[in-house]
Amino acid sequence: MSSKTCKSDILPTPLLKAVLGVVVNPLTKIVNFSLENGMFANEWKKAIIRPLIKKHGVDLHLSNYRPVSHLPFLSKVVEKVEVLGNEYGLGEMSLEWFANYLSDRQCCVNINGSLSSSKRLDFSVPQGSLSGPVLYSVYSSTLRYVIPDSFQLHGYADDHAIKQSHKPTFDEANTVRNEISTTMRDVKVWMDQNRLKLNETKTEYMQVGSKKLLSKCALDSICINNTTVNSSNCVKYLGTYLDSHLTLKTHIAAKCRAAIAGLRLVRNIRHLLTKDACHTIVLGLVISHLDYANSLYANLPNVVIMMLQRIQNMAAKLVLKRGKEDALASHQTKNSAQNINAGL
């Protein structure tokens, strides 16, 4: 579980974890009381929201801020226990607990340490909570009944995608495009009925295939609820950049940039770190980017994989304090860094 501390926490989360052996008994009594009585403390229901800028260098507009919600650490502990306990079904007391958990929630905004007045939240699941994605998935589970059998629906929480295959002809592509438009109208009706909002401005449309096939059936746009959505050459889905030819070049380039940025940060403080500390930080700031969605890298050309391998080798040399020209570096680095292809 994350060690992030919420402003409303009485103790910093790292400190609470450090003295867990001392406070585990009273914490257990608090958690058990909540679960046995179907009650969730009101203090745990208050979220503190920090607005973070999505993209720097653009106009300061409300749509360019991402609201990041922070909840008390103890509330997440109780959530975790309840969710794990109900993995195989809900009892009457569990339903009562969730009803209490979702009611009378509040939030306020934190800007530079100053808190706004609280606002009551009558709808939605708590952002930043452990059970949020699960509860939203349960709430939106009937969406699949709106999607025709000819489409495949994929999604996690509030991020969904539909896809359908067709023959590489313009007529077939146009037919599928019309079916998508009709389906999205039905989805909007379903969302309106369930107090949800379809954001057409964030909806993306992309055709996937080889250059030769797409040249026979490429469409430049699609109409979704009177909004024209232009065809994209690359879309970002669940943190992965998918291009229209599925080469993953855009995705790998983005992950390499992020990994190199992390590598530079670690290099600036390497002289202050032990080998083990440097290894841990490199795993978090560098290797995590290289490993993200790495199952997609299978069968990619070696020239693409080598971009990742070079950065991994650089990371190993940084941990071992080896220079580029160090003859000893070659042997030790190969033993310290797992080969990218081996992981596939």
Side-chain angles (χ1 to χ4, degrees):
M1 188 177 294
S2 173
S3 296
K4 292 181 179 179
T5 299
C6 179
K7 192 175 178 65
S8 59
D9 284 328
I10 298 177
L11 291 176
T13 302
L15 176 59
L16 182 62
K17 286 187 174 182
V19 299
L20 190 59
V22 179
V23 300
V24 66
N25 288 333
L27 287 181
T28 301
K29 291 182 180 180
I30 293 174
V31 172
N32 287 338
F33 181 85
S34 172
L35 301 180
E36 290 170 0
N37 294 276
M39 298 175 61
F40 196 80
N42 288 333
E43 287 300 316
W44 298 344
K45 298 179 182 180
K46 186 173 181 179
I48 297 179
I49 299 173
R50 290 183 60 206
L52 300 181
I53 296 178
K54 295 180 182 179
K55 295 181 180 180
H56 294 273
V58 299
D59 293 338
L60 296 181
H61 191 273
L62 288 178
S63 61
N64 193 39
Y65 286 89
R66 178 183 291 108
V68 177
S69 176
H70 295 277
L71 293 168
F73 176 74
L74 192 55
S75 73
K76 296 183 179 181
V77 174
V78 180
E79 276 186 77
K80 186 73 172 180
V81 174
E82 179 66 5
V83 171
L84 290 176
N86 290 294
E87 185 174 355
Y88 300 104
L90 290 174
E92 182 177 347
M93 184 55 68
S94 294
L95 291 174
E96 184 176 336
W97 184 91
F98 272 111
N100 187 277
Y101 167 78
L102 293 171
S103 63
D104 299 325
R105 300 196 73 96
Q106 296 182 336
C107 73
C108 63
V109 177
N110 176 17
I111 298 180
N112 297 328
S114 299
L115 299 180
S116 69
S117 56
S118 298
K119 181 177 177 59
R120 180 185 174 92
L121 296 174
D122 294 321
F123 305 101
S124 83
V125 295
Q127 184 194 22
S129 64
L130 296 174
S131 59
V134 176
L135 291 174
Y136 184 87
S137 296
V138 171
Y139 183 77
S140 62
S141 60
T142 57
L143 174 62
R144 65 183 186 275
Y145 299 126
V146 180
I147 308 299
D149 293 337
S150 58
F151 287 94
Q152 292 184 22
L153 174 66
H154 303 276
Y156 175 75
D158 62 344
D159 204 344
H160 285 74
I162 59 173
K163 68 177 184 180
Q164 186 183 115
S165 59
H166 61 82
K167 295 180 180 179
T169 65
F170 179 80
D171 290 340
E172 285 278 346
N174 195 48
T175 298
V176 171
R177 177 170 63 174
N178 293 335
E179 291 177 358
I180 293 176
S181 296
T182 301
T183 300
M184 293 307 294
R185 283 198 296 269
D186 295 337
V187 168
K188 187 177 187 308
V189 171
W190 176 88
M191 286 190 156
D192 291 342
Q193 293 172 345
N194 288 276
R195 299 178 183 271
L196 299 172
K197 182 180 184 301
L198 175 64
N199 194 336
E200 289 89 350
T201 61
K202 291 186 177 181
T203 302
E204 296 180 287
Y205 162 72
M206 183 175 72
Q207 290 179 280
V208 178
S210 66
K211 292 182 180 180
K212 182 177 179 181
L213 292 179
L214 289 181
S215 66
K216 301 177 181 179
C217 58
L219 301 174
D220 57 357
S221 64
I222 187 172
C223 184
I224 298 179
N225 302 321
N226 299 321
T227 299
T228 299
V229 177
N230 294 324
S231 179
S232 300
N233 293 321
C234 182
V235 299
K236 186 179 181 181
Y237 182 63
L238 298 180
T240 304
Y241 294 90
L242 301 175
D243 57 271
S244 57
H245 305 309
L246 295 184
T247 64
L248 292 181
K249 289 181 179 179
T250 303
H251 174 77
I252 290 178
K255 295 306 174 183
C256 285
R257 286 194 299 271
I260 290 175
L263 204 59
R264 288 171 178 165
L265 291 175
V266 180
R267 184 176 287 117
N268 290 335
I269 60 171
R270 179 63 184 94
H271 63 287
L272 302 173
L273 303 173
T274 64
K275 178 181 174 181
D276 289 340
C278 183
H279 179 257
T280 300
I281 296 174
V282 164
L283 287 177
L285 295 183
V286 181
I287 305 301
S288 60
H289 293 291
L290 304 183
D291 282 347
Y292 190 83
N294 61 2
S295 60
L296 299 177
Y297 302 158
N299 299 321
L300 286 180
N302 285 334
V303 65
V304 177
I305 297 299
M306 283 307 298
M307 295 172 60
L308 302 167
Q309 188 67 59
R310 280 194 292 269
I311 297 176
Q312 184 169 267
N313 292 345
M314 291 166 59
K317 290 180 180 181
L318 180 63
V319 172
L320 296 171
K321 286 189 174 181
R322 305 299 180 186
K324 293 181 180 180
E325 306 301 329
D326 194 328
L328 186 62
S330 177
H331 174 70
Q332 290 192 336
T333 299
K334 289 179 180 177
N335 290 334
S336 300
Q338 180 185 4
N339 187 274
I340 291 288
N341 280 311
L344 302 178

